Amino acid sequence: MSSADAARAAELAGLLKVLSDPTRLAILDRLMQGVQCNCELGECLDLPMNLISHHLKALRRAGLVSARRDPSDRRWVYYSVNREALVRLQQEVCAFFDPGRIQVRETACPRRAGVRG
Amino acid sequence: MSSADAARAAELAGLLKVLSDPTRLAILDRLMQGVQCNCELGECLDLPMNLISHHLKALRRAGLVSARRDPSDRRWVYYSVNREALVRLQQEVCAFFDPGRIQVRETACPRRAGVRG
DNA sequence: AGTATAATTCAACGGACGTTGAAGGATATG
DNA sequence: CATATCCTTCAACGTCCGTTGAATTATACT
């Protein structure tokens, strides 16, 4: 694993960390069913609004969701899923965990070498 | 999101949590290049053996890697990636984050309803 | 028996983070 | 101007967990 690969692995790990929370997945799942405001998410998932806000912030930092204010009442914020982010997520996951990358060979540990049999 | 979906989301979150660590991704990446013993992984990644063991335990609990003892010297343990687990991982990720699931509709928040315009 | 090696387990530390409650904007309405 | 609503931010708490170092186990060799 080169250092470039290590950096990409760290980046992927960060993205997966954002998604490794049941509440955030629930929010994301909910948002996939249509645009939602903060309070509606809170009611559906039975969670306080500040907690929803907290998780939405994390999802937004990761580029997974976007926010848009209601032009006719700027108190309301509507959240939606970023289609491109989902595509990119799928691509990165499928690239890293591609079963085709698995190589079949026995250990090449230098300590073990020459002592086999 | 039904309770069954919520349970599946929690399960997926748990799996992603295991993968949301750079060290574990590095180990997994390394294992995809062939069977490795604990000490070889430790040398390649410059990490103490007990830490490798700790992460391998988590990866094994998640069913992502398997272990096999060297028949000729049972002190050695060889680790390998579970191809089926990778396939399942890809399937679950692609199912949950499928962009095709995104529905286009405006908010249906009951509080906001009837006050639009 | 005694030593060496591979691996695991244990205990402890420290930082990251999800959760909670309260306070602080920002905007709309009367 | 005062009140209400939506949302965010802040502070504090508790827990999870990656990391570290030391001890333990299991096996092999002499």
Side-chain angles (χ1 to χ4, degrees):
Chain A
M1 195 177 198
S2 77
S3 71
D5 289 337
R8 237 180 312 161
E11 189 183 340
L12 178 58
L15 181 56
L16 294 181
K17 195 171 200 64
V18 176
L19 299 170
S20 67
D21 180 84
T23 303
R24 278 206 274 270
L25 288 190
I27 292 177
L28 220 46
D29 183 272
R30 193 77 203 156
L31 286 181
M32 286 197 225
Q33 300 172 21
V35 176
Q36 312 264 344
C37 60
N38 193 323
C39 69
E40 188 178 2
L41 288 169
E43 282 179 0
C44 290
L45 304 174
D46 195 35
L47 294 171
M49 207 160 33
N50 57 353
L51 186 53
I52 300 284
S53 190
H54 166 71
H55 286 303
L56 282 171
K57 188 176 182 180
L59 290 171
R60 217 163 22 146
R61 262 199 312 248
L64 290 162
V65 314
S66 347
R68 179 181 106 254
R69 285 203 174 270
D70 187 328
S72 70
D73 188 340
R74 301 186 53 77
R75 286 176 301 181
W76 297 75
V77 179
Y78 299 134
Y79 288 94
S80 56
V81 191
N82 250 9
R83 176 176 245 105
E84 299 78 18
L86 290 194
V87 174
R88 221 175 326 124
L89 168 62
Q90 283 198 349
Q91 287 175 346
E92 290 185 24
V93 166
C94 289
F96 193 95
F97 301 103
D98 178 17
R101 286 182 53 211
I102 301 179
Q103 301 193 15
V104 279
R105 72 159 175 77
E106 289 306 304
T107 181
C109 181
R111 294 196 196 165
R112 190 74 183 112
V115 203
R116 304 294 300 277
Chain B
M1 194 178 201
S2 76
S3 69
D5 289 337
R8 238 181 311 161
E11 190 183 338
L12 178 57
L15 180 56
L16 295 181
K17 196 170 198 63
V18 176
L19 299 170
S20 66
D21 179 84
T23 303
R24 278 205 275 268
L25 288 190
I27 292 176
L28 220 46
D29 183 273
R30 193 74 203 160
L31 285 182
M32 286 197 226
Q33 301 172 21
V35 175
Q36 313 264 344
C37 60
N38 193 322
C39 69
E40 185 177 4
L41 288 168
E43 283 179 359
C44 288
L45 304 173
D46 196 32
L47 293 172
M49 205 160 33
N50 57 352
L51 185 53
I52 299 284
S53 190
H54 166 70
H55 287 303
L56 282 172
K57 189 177 182 179
L59 292 171
R60 220 167 16 151
R61 262 198 313 247
L64 290 162
V65 312
S66 346
R68 180 181 106 255
R69 286 203 173 271
D70 188 328
S72 71
D73 187 340
R74 301 185 53 77
R75 287 176 299 179
W76 297 75
V77 179
Y78 300 134
Y79 289 94
S80 56
V81 190
N82 249 10
R83 175 177 245 104
E84 299 78 19
L86 291 193
V87 174
R88 221 175 327 123
L89 168 64
Q90 283 197 349
Q91 287 175 345
E92 289 185 25
V93 166
C94 288
F96 193 96
F97 301 103
D98 178 17
R101 285 182 54 210
I102 300 178
Q103 301 193 14
V104 279
R105 74 158 173 76
E106 289 307 305
T107 181
C109 181
R111 295 197 196 165
R112 189 73 182 112
V115 204
R116 303 293 300 278

